Amino acid sequence: MEMRLYQRKDLNQVIDLFYRAVHEVQCNDYTEEERDAIAPKNVDRYHWEASLEKNHTLIVEDEGKIIAFGNIGTTGYLDRLYIDKKYLHQGIGAKLLERLEQYAKKQGNSIIYVTSSITSKPFFEKHGYEEIEEQINVRRGVRILRYLMEKKI
């Protein structure tokens, strides 16, 4: 397994992983309608590419296949952290999160923020994040429960 910086050639695999992670991992916490709103089949590829390149995005690969990715901005907002269902509970997410937190610290941030799903909230709590508030985000007209969380670093 290798962790490295995102490259443009990764876009298709990253979008595919995002879709699968939302639809396969979050199925116990969100309805199909909610999952479709979070991760539709057709995403704005331009928006994704711009976001992945603008933020500090890390990729985890196993034998050429992207199995996890995450990104964080210079302000300390953790935008994404997704892991392939087959690789959950193996410490990959923790290592990825640690590297993203290190980057945030180097940028001078003292707090990291994340808007967490129901599914990932226990993961973030385990790694020292605290809930600030429950939120209802509206995506594509669908109301979705999320949690704004923070961690002081």
Side-chain angles (χ1 to χ4, degrees), residues 5-143:
L5 287 171
Y6 168 81
Q7 300 169 11
R8 277 191 175 182
K9 68 179 179 67
D10 300 326
L11 183 63
N12 289 337
Q13 281 193 68
V14 166
I15 290 172
D16 182 57
L17 173 57
F18 168 71
Y19 180 86
R20 286 184 293 105
V22 169
H23 285 272
E24 295 172 4
V25 177
Q26 298 184 2
C27 57
N28 292 330
D29 297 314
Y30 293 100
T31 66
E32 184 176 354
E33 179 186 37
E34 290 168 328
R35 293 189 317 270
D36 284 342
I38 296 166
K41 288 185 181 180
N42 297 315
V43 298
D44 181 344
R45 296 175 58 76
Y46 176 78
H47 170 77
W48 266 81
E49 186 172 54
S51 174
L52 293 169
E53 289 182 356
K54 174 184 154 198
N55 293 306
H56 181 70
T57 303
L58 295 175
I59 300 294
V60 180
E61 264 185 333
D62 187 26
E63 298 180 9
K65 179 184 175 191
I66 294 175
I67 60 166
F69 76 97
N71 67 352
I72 192 165
T74 57
T75 62
Y77 182 75
L78 180 63
D79 192 21
R80 300 179 183 99
L81 189 115
Y82 291 93
I83 302 159
D84 186 292
K85 183 179 180 177
K86 297 174 198 159
Y87 292 86
L88 290 172
H89 311 293
Q90 297 179 25
I92 296 165
K95 288 177 187 166
L96 184 54
L97 181 60
E98 181 183 340
R99 290 276 300 273
L100 293 169
E101 289 174 349
Q102 287 171 357
Y103 172 82
K105 199 170 191 172
K106 286 179 185 174
Q107 297 303 306
N109 295 292
S110 58
I111 300 175
I112 296 176
Y113 294 95
V114 64
T115 303
S116 172
S117 67
I118 298 167
T119 311
S120 60
K121 185 180 180 199
F123 169 82
F124 286 112
E125 288 174 332
K126 179 181 174 183
H127 290 90
Y129 287 75
E130 296 178 1
E131 179 185 332
I132 297 172
E133 68 180 14
E134 215 174 83
Q135 297 179 332
I136 299 294
N137 294 2
V138 179
R139 289 209 183 157
R140 295 169 184 79
V142 179
R143 297 169 53 85

